[in-house]
């Protein structure tokens, strides 16, 4: 394990921890109130309302089906959280209100609001329902079949043009080649458990479990206050896992589409390895994510700056950029034009059809409502990217927590300014921002003081 470099000097007096930023203090106050139970209750109650509204008003059949099932799951979770609050009021140290019980309710909620709707819709789809999956599920499964038969997951320009107009959108595969692996089971056997979403869920669960394990094993090791650090880390990890699983934007996405969840989980695993001082493993994890989808590449770039501060840039870059390059090479050799058509032209709006993504974020509103609006929105997006790049060059992140915050706020800005984007992409910045406290507590030396000092140096 690589040792931490000595942090730069900060304004805190010698022997004292640097002051905690105001935003972090506010979050700690809200998250820690009554053992985290009021925020749990608020999360589940809001999610139940969201699911109910989705079931009634959504124009997408898979979303309506999700809301009908998930609404009940969230409502049960809200009732259980209410019971926990009552138990804690009677007995503050009641095990019914502790982190273990909260974790059990979170697992139950993920099962009833993501896994159960996923399995139900997969079974209905296998039985012949054609309205029980979003288009990306079909696209990934078709790409898996093409990978087997043609050696590349992509159709070329001429092949897409030959499709009926209503099917040309599904002819595009705007993912990296690795995503086609999730379509291989369906290419081999047509049944409910070969649905690509099932394998998205398995990959997501595995990556999140590995991330939690890495952070829990690191927290408190070699410290006199190991038990206290472990307790705080467990509470922070629970909140982080909730942000990646039971938030409606995550549960809905996994049950109806799902391709973003393994990408997100692998990025969180990369940050967990970064927090525990393992740049090589961090590179492998984010490299796997980058071999699936472009959304992981900005996170890989931010973590590269972190790795350079640890004098481990080369070790990190081998996995972070070598794996995506290796995934692209076969498709490039088989049909370069098809790769360019799907991975570059289509996302840039230069394909035969355009992406239907049209969530009402500022970038989309500018692109559709102003003269030359698309150019204006693109210019704002580029300006935001340049600003983040300048910040990284001037103040490279020295901790995984700071890296997560930069990624979270950066992706939030990008999603807001993209001319065409989806509401579901918010799952990336939300999860990254909520994971930061858990990353901060998982310093390799067993305390959060080193991470706090380095964080202060980032802000200096």
């Amino acid at each position: 394990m690589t040792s931490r470099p000595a942090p730069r000097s900060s304004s805190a007096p010698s022997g004292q921890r640097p002051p905690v930023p105001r935003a972090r203090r506010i979050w700690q106050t809200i998250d820690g109130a009554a053992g985290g139970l009021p925020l749990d209750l608020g999360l589940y109650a809001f999610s139940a309302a969201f699911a109910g509204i989705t079931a009634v008003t959504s124009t997408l059949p898979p979303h309506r089906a999700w809301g009908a099932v998930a609404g009940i799951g969230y409502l049960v979770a809200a009732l259980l959280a209410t019971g926990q609050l009552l138990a804690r009021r009677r007995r503050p140290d009641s095990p019914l209100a502790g982190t273990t019980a909260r974790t059990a309710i979170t697992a139950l909620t993920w099962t009833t609001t993501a896994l159960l709707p996923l399995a139900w819709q997969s079974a209905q789809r296998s039985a012949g329902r054609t309205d029980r999956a979003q288009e990306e599920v079909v696209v990934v499964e078709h790409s898996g079949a093409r990978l087997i038969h043609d050696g590349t997951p992509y159709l070329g320009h001429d092949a897409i043009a030959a499709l009926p107009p209503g099917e040309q959108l599904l002819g595009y595969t705007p993912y990296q080649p690795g995503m086609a692996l999730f379509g291989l089971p369906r290419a081999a056997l047509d049944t409910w458990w070969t649905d690509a979403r099932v394998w998205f869920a398995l990959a997501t669960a595995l990556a999140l479990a590995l991330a939690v394990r890495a952070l829990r094993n690191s927290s408190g090791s070699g410290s006199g206050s190991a038990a206290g650090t472990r307790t705080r880390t467990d509470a922070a990890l629970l909140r982080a896992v909730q942000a990646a699983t039971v938030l409606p934007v995550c549960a809905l996405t996994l049950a109806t589409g799902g391709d973003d969840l393994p990408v997100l989980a692998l990025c969180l695993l990369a940050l967990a390895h970064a927090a525990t001082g393992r740049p090589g493993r961090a590179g492998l994890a984010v490299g796997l994510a980058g071999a699936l989808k472009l959304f992981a590449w900005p996170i890989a770039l931010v973590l590269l700056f972190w790795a350079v501060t640890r004098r481990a840039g080369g070790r990190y870059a081998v996995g972070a950029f070598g794996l995506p390059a290796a995934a692209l090479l076969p498709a490039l050799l088989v049909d370069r034009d098809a790769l360019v058509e799907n991975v570059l032209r289509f996302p840039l709006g230069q394909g035969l059809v355009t992406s239907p993504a049209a969530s009402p974020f500022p970038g989309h509103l500018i692109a559709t409502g102003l003269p030359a609006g698309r150019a204006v929105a693109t210019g704002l997006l580029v300006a935001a990217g340049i600003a983040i790049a300048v910040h990284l060059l001037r103040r490279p992140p020295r901790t995984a927590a700071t890296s997560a915050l930069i990624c979270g706020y950066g992706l939030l800005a990008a999603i807001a300014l993209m001319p065409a984007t989806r509401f579901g992409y918010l799952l990336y910045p939300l999860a990254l921002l909520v994971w930061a406290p858990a990353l901060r507590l998982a310093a390799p030396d067993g305390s959060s003081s080193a991470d706090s000092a380095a964080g202060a140096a980032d802000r200096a």
Side-chain angles (χ1 to χ4, degrees):
M1 184 180 298
T2 308
S3 60
R4 285 178 175 262
R8 293 174 290 181
S9 60
S10 69
S11 57
S14 177
Q16 297 183 15
R17 289 189 180 184
V20 178
R22 184 171 180 270
R24 193 191 304 175
R25 290 200 308 271
I26 294 173
W27 169 253
Q28 290 173 345
T29 300
I30 296 173
D31 187 34
L37 291 172
L39 194 54
D40 283 355
L41 176 57
L43 168 63
Y44 297 139
F46 166 80
S47 300
F50 180 93
I53 293 171
T54 301
V56 174
T57 65
S58 178
T59 59
L60 300 174
H63 288 204
R64 290 200 304 271
W66 169 82
V69 177
I72 298 174
Y74 284 127
L75 184 59
V76 170
L79 293 174
L80 291 174
T82 302
Q84 288 184 297
L85 274 170
L86 294 175
R88 191 179 192 279
R89 179 174 296 180
R90 294 176 183 175
R91 181 183 166 191
D93 61 343
S94 171
L96 295 176
T99 303
T100 301
R102 291 174 60 211
T103 301
I105 292 176
T106 298
L108 174 66
T109 305
W110 194 49
T111 300
T112 57
T113 64
L115 302 184
L116 179 60
L118 186 160
W120 178 50
Q121 293 197 31
S122 298
Q124 286 188 315
R125 179 176 175 234
S126 181
R129 290 288 298 266
T130 58
D131 61 347
R132 285 297 178 260
Q134 291 185 183
E135 292 87 349
E136 50 263 40
V137 178
V138 179
V139 168
V140 169
E141 291 174 354
H142 286 176
S143 70
R146 284 194 293 269
L147 181 63
I148 292 176
H149 296 113
D150 304 329
T152 176
Y154 305 115
L155 285 177
H157 179 277
D158 293 342
I160 297 174
L163 296 173
E167 299 179 15
Q168 288 181 351
L169 179 62
L170 294 179
Y172 279 99
T173 304
Y175 308 115
Q176 299 303 289
M179 188 66 76
L181 297 179
F182 290 100
L184 294 181
R186 191 74 167 196
L189 182 65
D190 186 357
T191 186
W192 75 269
W193 57 266
T194 60
D195 190 295
R197 289 170 292 183
V198 174
W199 299 91
F200 290 150
L202 290 173
T204 299
L206 177 60
L208 288 177
L210 291 174
V212 169
R213 179 184 177 186
L215 293 174
R216 288 194 82 245
N217 288 345
S218 176
S219 66
S221 58
S223 169
S225 58
T229 302
R230 171 62 64 85
T231 299
R232 294 194 304 274
T233 301
D234 285 348
L237 274 173
L238 173 59
R239 188 68 71 208
V241 170
Q242 287 176 336
T245 54
V246 300
L247 269 182
V249 68
C250 294
L252 169 62
T253 299
L254 184 61
T256 62
D259 57 283
D260 285 296
L261 269 298
V263 179
L264 171 65
L266 286 168
C267 290
L268 297 177
L269 175 60
L271 286 163
H273 284 314
T276 55
R278 298 181 176 93
R281 294 186 184 184
L284 289 174
V286 79
L288 286 173
L292 301 178
K293 202 165 185 180
L294 279 172
F295 248 96
W297 291 21
I299 298 170
L301 288 173
V302 172
L303 281 175
L304 175 62
F305 283 87
W306 164 84
V308 169
T309 68
R310 310 291 295 245
R311 299 180 181 178
R315 191 153 32 113
Y316 165 82
V318 169
F321 304 108
L323 284 176
L328 284 168
L329 184 59
L332 184 67
L333 295 176
V334 172
D335 193 335
R336 181 186 62 184
D337 290 338
L339 173 67
V340 173
E341 178 72 21
N342 287 264
V343 177
L344 293 179
R345 294 195 189 111
F346 178 74
L348 293 174
Q350 302 300 314
L352 292 170
V353 291
T354 58
S355 171
S359 296
F361 292 117
H364 176 70
L365 297 177
I366 292 171
T368 57
L370 294 179
R374 190 174 188 89
V376 173
T378 302
L380 291 173
L381 181 62
V382 171
I386 292 174
I388 294 171
V390 171
H391 176 80
L392 288 170
L393 289 170
R394 294 183 59 191
R395 300 177 183 176
R398 303 177 70 85
T399 69
T402 303
S403 300
L405 293 175
I406 293 173
C407 292
Y409 288 123
L411 286 176
L412 189 61
I415 292 167
L417 295 174
M418 283 180 179
T421 187
R422 297 182 185 271
F423 177 80
Y425 289 158
L426 286 176
L427 63 88
Y428 287 97
L430 291 176
L432 288 165
L433 294 173
V434 179
W435 271 75
L439 298 171
R440 190 174 292 113
L441 288 168
D445 63 358
S447 71
S448 61
S449 57
D451 198 64
S452 298
D458 290 332
R459 297 186 302 272

